[in-house]
Amino acid sequence: MLYTLFTVACLVVTAMATAAAPLVRILNDHPLIFFHGRWDTAPETWWSGSGFKINVQDLTSLTLNLGPNTTAPFVALGVSVDYAPFVSINASAGANVIAIPPAKGKRTTVVRINAEMYFSSQMHLESIDLNAGATLVPYRPSRLVFEFIGDSLSTGYLTPEGILQAWDFLIGETFKAEETVVAQPGAALVDIPSFGNVHGMSFQFFRTEDTSYFYDPLHNFTTPWDFRQDVPERTHVVVHIGANDASQNVDQALFVSTYIDFLATLRKLYPHQPFFLFTPWGWPNPDGPNAFYYPGAYEAVLAARKSLGDTNMFLVNTTGWVTYADVSPDSLHPSVAGHAKIAGLFQAWLEDWGLHPLEAWSNP
Ligand SMILES: *[C@@H]1O[C@H](CO)[C@@H](O)[C@H](O)[C@H]1NC(C)=O
Ligand SMILES: *[C@@H]1O[C@H](CO)[C@@H](O)[C@H](O)[C@H]1NC(C)=O
Ligand SMILES: *[C@@H]1O[C@H](CO)[C@@H](O)[C@H](O)[C@H]1NC(C)=O
Ligand SMILES: *[C@@H]1O[C@H](CO)[C@@H](O)[C@H](O)[C@H]1NC(C)=O
């Protein structure tokens, strides 16, 4: 009788264990998490669009466990499952369940999650819980890897979903590429305080944190970025900068010399990559032509690089790309439709230059 009771008890325990099959917990230092953009040691994200990608076999559920350094009350994240268009969610410190639609006739699922905004956009990743039986498999990065450098015009500033709707992020999607955006609204290139930023991009580009660190009570400091973490190697570098220098009345000669020095430093990091330098599209007016700034400056910067023997930089003439109809709600920054238009024009420019979107994603 005793024996029987013991057997029954064992059976009950076994049944309970089966019902609550343990989730598969992936810690933030798992080697198969593909991190992109810039993360500090927490690890938490800085700059627009930083995040991670994973490729999972037999995935049916996913919970994102975020740590206490996550922006409160929430951080806006973009989520894309199996290369479907990104969807925005608000996530908070603690457990965040991510909806995983049923897989369509294949065993692996790619999940991409990134922070959307340019200020207060810290996703502190602690762990990821997957359903029992799910396994991480390698995420194969795309062979196209863009590095975008800029200001508000490259962050989707004032669009509802931030970087998800910005022309540069859209280029990454269209070309089926990896991309990193190191851009900060209001930042000048010259290292001066500008519109709330304590540094210009000629300083902050080389840091882990964007300039919002200054306003973060949990992380009120900045640290050097270790460029060895930029894996895989970038294949194309795009720079669109100068609007805030002009707004801060930085002298044109100082802007040009700072830009030339900045490119010389970037060239050491990216020795053989083509650089695409955007000219200003100007500030649109309700009537009359756009207001341009720094006439001839971008041509002078390019000429200086050429005179040093650097023939792998190209001016992207964006004159005419943005009209008054393309900027809202502040009549200065591109709207969602404006960003899509810019992305289309830059895609056409790149195709003309010789770079075409890949036909397939790297993890089919
Ligand atoms: C996380 O926040 C704590 C304060 O709660 C702070 O001391 C720590 O430096 C932060 N970690 C990072 C990497 O910013
Ligand atoms: C996130 O929260 C903000 C502020 O409450 C809200 O405007 C936005 O719609 C929320 N986003 C989603 C996807 O729920
Ligand atoms: C960050 O530190 C600076 C001094 O370095 C101080 O002026 C500022 O108020 C601090 N900000 C926060 C949010 O703690
Ligand atoms: C850019 O394009 C405009 C309009 O087509 C033209 O007037 C201008 O000279 C071009 N600038 C450069 C640097 O090629």
Side-chain angles (χ1 to χ4, degrees):
M1 191 61 189
L2 264 179
Y3 175 75
T4 310
L5 268 180
F6 178 70
T7 311
V8 170
C10 282
L11 282 174
V12 169
V13 168
T14 311
M16 279 173 66
T18 312
L23 298 173
V24 176
R25 174 153 289 189
I26 307 294
L27 297 180
N28 61 20
D29 60 355
H30 196 292
L32 292 183
I33 301 176
F34 177 78
F35 287 98
H36 62 88
R38 295 192 182 176
W39 294 73
D40 69 20
T41 55
E44 62 184 313
T45 50
W46 297 90
W47 304 95
S48 294
S50 294
F52 68 89
K53 306 180 183 183
I54 49 174
N55 194 8
V56 192
Q57 192 168 297
D58 299 331
L59 180 68
T60 56
S61 83
L62 188 153
T63 299
L64 190 60
N65 299 311
L66 300 184
N69 294 42
T70 298
T71 302
F74 62 82
V75 58
L77 301 179
V79 177
S80 161
V81 179
D82 262 343
Y83 302 111
F86 277 86
V87 174
S88 263
I89 62 159
N90 289 334
S92 302
N96 300 269
V97 175
I98 308 291
I100 303 294
K104 296 186 203 98
K106 63 192 196 65
R107 276 193 82 181
T108 55
T109 304
V110 170
V111 180
R112 302 182 294 167
I113 299 183
N114 53 249
E116 276 177 25
M117 293 296 167
Y118 25 83
F119 290 128
S120 302
S121 204
Q122 277 64 59
M123 162 172 50
H124 173 193
L125 180 66
E126 277 189 343
S127 64
I128 305 163
D129 285 334
L130 309 175
N131 54 284
T135 343
L136 279 200
V137 295
Y139 170 86
R140 212 166 334 114
S142 171
R143 58 186 171 79
L144 279 184
V145 188
F146 289 102
E147 180 89 5
F148 293 100
I149 303 169
D151 51 34
S152 60
L153 300 171
S154 302
T155 58
Y157 181 67
L158 298 186
T159 66
E161 295 177 356
I163 198 65
L164 301 185
Q165 291 165 322
W167 62 270
D168 38 6
F169 192 86
L170 299 178
I171 285 286
E173 288 295 284
T174 305
F175 280 74
K176 299 185 170 61
E178 306 300 335
E179 84 279 313
T180 286
V181 180
V182 184
Q184 189 70 357
L189 174 63
V190 173
D191 189 18
I192 51 167
S194 175
F195 301 116
N197 297 292
V198 285
H199 284 290
M201 288 300 288
S202 55
F203 174 85
Q204 204 69 33
F205 176 76
F206 304 97
R207 314 299 285 183
T208 305
E209 300 82 3
D210 59 63
T211 54
S212 71
Y213 76 84
F214 190 78
Y215 303 97
D216 186 343
L218 303 183
H219 189 112
N220 187 8
F221 57 90
T222 178
T223 55
W225 176 244
D226 178 358
F227 282 87
R228 286 172 303 184
Q229 293 193 53
D230 282 350
V231 179
E233 189 181 53
R234 278 56 183 137
T235 59
H236 300 82
V237 178
V238 184
V239 190
H240 184 20
I241 199 97
N244 296 306
D245 299 83
S247 298
Q248 300 289 357
N249 297 313
V250 169
D251 175 62
Q252 178 155 336
L254 176 61
F255 173 70
V256 168
S257 66
T258 305
Y259 204 165
I260 294 168
D261 292 348
F262 184 58
L263 291 178
T265 311
L266 292 186
R267 187 44 101 201
K268 290 186 198 129
L269 292 168
Y270 312 111
H272 52 255
Q273 289 84 339
F275 282 28
F276 305 116
L277 314 180
F278 275 40
T279 68
W281 53 62
W283 301 112
N285 284 308
D287 30 48
N290 288 15
F292 284 92
Y293 43 86
Y294 293 147
Y298 295 81
E299 294 90 319
V301 167
L302 191 77
R305 290 300 310 167
K306 278 219 169 88
S307 74
L308 293 169
D310 189 343
T311 55
N312 203 14
M313 293 196 180
F314 306 89
L315 218 53
V316 181
N317 187 349
T318 71
T319 306
W321 283 20
V322 176
T323 69
Y324 196 70
D326 304 317
V327 289
S328 81
D330 68 351
S331 305
L332 289 173
H333 292 90
S335 60
V336 172
H339 276 286
K341 177 185 172 190
I342 297 162
L345 289 164
F346 188 38
Q347 179 185 345
W349 190 98
L350 285 171
E351 296 214 39
D352 242 26
W353 180 84
L355 185 68
H356 301 281
L358 298 178
E359 290 191 350
W361 288 104
S362 49
N363 299 272

